[in-house]
Amino acid sequence: MLSRGFTNAGAPPCAGACNESEGKFWKEGCRLNLEKRDTILREIQYWRRSKLLPEQYCDFLTNLYDDQAEVKDSNPVSLRNLQQGSIKIWLFGFGIISLIFLISLYFSVFPWPLQLATALSVLIICYGYSAIYLNRNKTISLMLAGIGSILTLGFGLWLIELHKLDADFWTPLLIAACGLLWCVLGFFLRIGLLHFCGYAFWALLYAGFFGHVRPDASLLELELLWLPLCVLMIWMSWLMYHKVSGVSGVYLGAGAALWLMPEVDALWLRAGFPEWTSLILILKIAVGLALLFLFRKKWITWVAS
C-alpha cells in the first residue's frame, strides 16, 4: 500500500523540492563561475593595457579562461584588433582620416554656417565619445578630450582669421568660452587637466583685463589682485573635499598656481618691474613648498579623495 502510494504520486513528496533546490544551486554556481571568469578576463585585459605582463602571457591566460577563445578588448583600435583584420575598424579609420583631410582642405571655402556646424559637430563627437569611453578606456577618453580641446581653440582662431574679425574683441571671448567649456566638462567628466586648463584660461583672461585697465599697477596691487583668488581656490578645494569627490586636487593646484601669479604677471605679462621681483618669486616658491610640507596630511587627503 505504501509502495502504491509512492507509485501513484510518481515521486516522494520532497523530490520536487529537492530537484528545485538542486537546480537553483546549479544555476547560482554557473552564474558565479561566469562572473568570476569575466572578472579574471577583465584583469588580464588590464594587465595587457598596463604592460604588467608580456603580450604572449596575456594571450595564453585569455585563451585559458575564455571559452570562446576571443579577446574582449575594450580598445577598438588596439594592435590586437588591427591584427585580427576587422574590416569595420579599417573602414572606420579610413573614414576618419578622409574626414580630417576633407575638413582641412575645404573648411575655408565652406559658407560660415557650414563652418560653424562642422566645428560644433567635430567637438560634440570628440567630447561625446570621451564621455562614453571614460569608464571603458581612460586613455582613449583622455585623448579624445585633448583633441577636442585643441580643436576648440584651433577652430575658434581659424574662424577669427578667416572672417577677419576684430581680434581684440573675439580672442578674449574665445578664451572665455574655452575656459568655461573646459571647466564644465572637466568637472563632470572628472578630467583634472582639462578642468585646470579651464581655470588657467580664465586666469589669463583676468590678467589681460587688469593689464589693460591698470597697466602701471604696482607689485602690491598685483598681490591684492591675485592672492584673494588663491585663498578662494584653496577654500574651494577644502569645500569640494567635503561635497564632491574627484575635483579637490584641481582647485588646490589652481590655488598653488595663483599663489605665484603676482610675480609671474609682473615679470612676463608687464614691463618695468625691477629685477628683484624674481627674488620674491623664488621666496614665495620656498614658502609655498614649506606650507605644502607642513600641511601635507591635509592636502594629500584632499587630493586623494
Side-chain angles (χ1 to χ4, degrees), residues 83-105:
Q83 187 179 17
Q84 290 175 353
S86 175
I87 189 65
K88 293 181 179 179
I89 295 176
W90 284 94
L91 288 176
F92 177 76
F94 173 75
I96 292 296
I97 295 173
S98 301
L99 182 62
I100 291 173
F101 277 102
L102 179 66
I103 293 174
S104 301
L105 293 174

Side-chain angles (χ1 to χ4, degrees), residues 14-304:
C14 64
C18 291
N19 291 334
E20 183 179 353
S21 177
E22 289 177 0
K24 184 183 295 185
F25 281 123
W26 183 80
K27 291 179 181 179
E28 185 69 19
C30 290
R31 185 180 66 82
L32 291 176
N33 287 334
L34 289 175
E35 290 180 355
K36 184 177 180 181
R37 189 195 67 179
D38 291 340
T39 301
I40 293 173
L41 289 174
R42 284 196 297 269
E43 286 296 320
I44 294 171
Q45 292 304 315
Y46 172 75
W47 297 339
R48 185 194 303 275
R49 292 193 301 268
S50 304
K51 307 298 182 183
L52 296 176
L53 281 179
E55 189 77 16
Q56 60 269 25
Y57 290 172
C58 294
D59 292 341
F60 171 76
L61 292 174
T62 301
N63 294 328
L64 184 64
Y65 284 100
D66 194 351
D67 294 337
Q68 299 176 354
E70 179 181 352
V71 179
K72 301 177 179 64
D73 197 343
S74 60
N75 185 357
V77 292
S78 64
L79 293 177
R80 182 176 183 84
N81 287 336
L82 293 176
Q83 187 179 17
Q84 290 175 353
S86 175
I87 189 65
K88 293 181 179 179
I89 295 176
W90 284 94
L91 288 176
F92 177 76
F94 173 75
I96 292 296
I97 295 173
S98 301
L99 182 62
I100 291 173
F101 277 102
L102 179 66
I103 293 174
S104 301
L105 293 174
Y106 296 103
F107 185 81
S108 59
V109 299
F110 290 165
W112 74 264
L114 184 58
Q115 290 176 347
L116 189 60
T118 302
L120 290 176
S121 299
V122 172
L123 299 182
I124 290 172
I125 290 172
C126 288
Y127 287 126
Y129 275 96
S130 175
I132 291 172
Y133 278 98
L134 185 62
N135 296 322
R136 299 181 185 179
N137 193 307
K138 190 74 172 180
T139 303
I140 290 182
S141 177
L142 293 176
M143 287 177 58
L144 289 172
I147 292 171
S149 302
I150 294 172
L151 290 178
T152 302
L153 186 61
F155 275 128
L157 294 175
W158 198 358
L159 288 172
I160 292 173
E161 179 65 25
L162 283 176
H163 298 283
K164 306 299 181 183
L165 301 176
D166 184 9
D168 293 335
F169 174 78
W170 287 101
T171 302
L173 189 62
L174 174 64
I175 292 174
C178 288
L180 179 61
L181 177 65
W182 296 346
C183 283
V184 172
L185 290 176
F187 180 85
F188 285 105
L189 297 180
R190 295 297 189 270
I191 301 178
L193 182 59
L194 185 63
H195 199 175
F196 181 85
C197 288
Y199 282 114
F201 264 44
W202 275 94
L204 181 63
L205 191 66
Y206 182 81
F209 174 76
F210 280 104
H212 179 73
V213 173
R214 290 285 298 165
D216 55 346
S218 64
L219 186 59
L220 179 60
E221 288 181 275
L222 294 180
E223 298 286 350
L224 293 176
L225 283 175
W226 291 103
L227 291 186
L229 295 179
C230 169
V231 175
L232 175 63
M233 283 296 174
I234 294 176
W235 176 78
M236 286 290 294
S237 177
W238 171 83
L239 181 65
M240 290 298 169
Y241 165 67
H242 292 283
K243 299 294 184 180
V244 182
S245 62
V247 296
S248 179
V250 175
Y251 291 92
L252 183 64
L258 290 172
W259 168 254
L260 304 175
M261 274 306 296
E263 288 70 31
V264 173
D265 191 353
L267 292 173
W268 283 285
L269 302 180
R270 298 171 187 263
F273 280 87
E275 295 182 357
W276 51 262
T277 306
S278 58
L279 298 178
I280 298 178
L281 177 61
I282 296 173
L283 179 62
K284 288 185 71 173
I285 292 174
V287 172
L289 291 175
L291 291 174
L292 289 175
F293 177 77
L294 290 175
F295 297 100
R296 60 189 182 278
K297 293 184 179 180
K298 294 286 186 181
W299 66 265
I300 289 177
T301 304
W302 299 354
V303 172

